[in-house]
Amino acid sequence: MTGKSDVVATLSSAPPLAGVRSSSFAAMLAVITGINAVSLYVIFRALAAIAPADRAVIATTLWTVFGVLVVASMAGAWWLMRLRNRWRIAEAAAADRATRLTAEIATHRNTDAALQGARAAAEAANLAKSRYLVGVSHEIRSPLNAIYGYAQLLERGAGIAPEEAGGVIRRSSEHLTNIVDGLLDISRIESGVLKLNRDIVPLPAFLESLVEMFRVQAENKGLQFHYHPAANLPAFVRTDEKRLRQILINLLSNAIKYTPTGEASLTVRYRGLIAEFDVADTGIGIPATEIERIFEPFERGSADIARAQPGTGLGLAITRVLAQVMGGDVAVVSTPGVGSVFKLRLMLAEPGDAVAATARQRVISGYGGRRRTILLIDDDPAQLAVLQGLLRPLGFSVYAASNGPEGIDLALRCTPDLVLLDIQMPGLSGWDVAMRLRAVAADGDGAPVKILLVSANAHEFAAGGDGGAAHDGFVTKPVELEALLDAIAGQLCLDWLSDAATPADAVLSAADLAPAAARIAELRRLGQAGHIRGLEAALNALAEELPASRPLVDQLRSHVRAFDLGGFLRHLDAHG
Ligand code: ADP
């Protein structure tokens, strides 16, 4: 529409002779006039020959006719020129409009292509989301069905062995826990909530401990396990130890899980801050069509032999996203029936010497001043055991009660300096107990007891210690050793003593421990692998073999019971 109206506007607004070039006009006029002149001259000659006497009249008449013809020719030429001009303008406008239309069509084509692309991406995302949800519900439903089924059988007294039902329910619950943990891991990583630690990791020892763990697993399955570390591995690297362990455990356990016979191996290279880990096996392999798919959540191999193995299909998905957030990647090369090699590349920088040295921090092992009494009130026996194991070796008198009334009763008898009080307990809650303890102290003449509340629910947090509150401080569960010791020191105004000052350590030197060097190395390996039960057994063995090591064993054991393996290793390094 615009094109047409533009043309109309151009034509109607043009002046009468606008665009009519005078040279063309003159040329056309000259041609017409010339033709007229020649024609009239021919007529004059013919008429003059017929009537020579009227020659003058004929000439005058023909000159008049010539004049009229000149004027008519001028008008005709002007009209012709104007017509031609209009036609040219219309032609130019049409060409312009055609160009604009072509450009508009090209733009529409591009927009259409972009829209198609966006639609395809949205459909793919939708499909992936549906597949993911189907995967989640399928994975969750199977163990839930097992739990539900066995619970109903037990309810009906169907004569099923409780051990069998218990076993199925426990395994299904473990499977569910693994799925939930895996999903949380993935969403934490993808939403950027996961915070990576910058631990200083003794790489060779760390890898050795993993290799030991998997060598045993491989041998139990009749497989060989080989480890090829590069000679230039750095003594320490900076990375998130827990996540690096998680990645390698996923890859190594798959290598053993999907290898019925033959061998598995770990090869580690280190070049220019980049570590390359090859986890190879001679197992069932992965078809080319599945190579990319197995890194998606809940995708498992299609082969029956792969499906027969237990698994959630989340391991590789977690491994890949973790590797990526740690600045690396994981890829696989595989041949069905021959084996697979998973290649992990990670950026593992070496810390400076000074930083590596401070990795061996001083360890708190006691406090100055008179002996203090701490009362623990918690209905969870495991929590009581952990706290007792932690606090007793530091020189505290520790009393424990498993409910509020018992705790109040005990407080009257042991007059504690500090009470560590769980909030969620059956019967009297921690808040009620704290108020009663305050009331008891107010009735007596002793100094008011210090109360630290312990809770797994961060929303229950209330700072306390403001004079009006029933408590003096708050510690969250799971209890972090350093934070708890800080809180205790703050409440009781304690000065911590480091290893060097404790009598327990004074009796032991490195020379004293020399006969147990192999046992110490084993403890370090087990500590790095996080093998709690193995640690307990090895500590008992050390205390048997070398009675002089018992004070050290007690301190190490307290770290193990508090699941403080970092502290355990630092303590061990400081001595062994
Ligand atoms: P899961 O082992 O729980 O099934 P993963 O995400 O760890 O989940 O692995 C996904 C799939 O990749 C597995 O089901 C298996 O089919 C395949 N796979 C992983 N590692 C190997 C391997 N080393 N050899 C052969 N197949 C493997």
Side-chain angles (χ1 to χ4, degrees), residues 121-138:
E123 273 171 5
N126 213 8
L127 218 69
K129 194 186 85 189
S130 309
R131 249 203 351 250
Y132 183 78
L133 287 177
V134 169
V136 172
S137 58
H138 172 262

Side-chain angles (χ1 to χ4, degrees), residues 430-431 433-438 449 451 453 464-472:
W431 298 109
V433 176
M435 275 185 294
R436 295 202 190 177
L437 283 174
R438 284 267 189 264
V449 61
I451 300 175
L453 287 178
D466 56 4
H471 64 298
D472 298 278

Side-chain angles (χ1 to χ4, degrees), residues 486-502:
D486 280 350
I488 292 176
Q491 294 301 327
L492 300 181
C493 304
L494 296 180
D495 288 325
W496 295 121
L497 302 178
S498 70
D499 283 353
T502 60

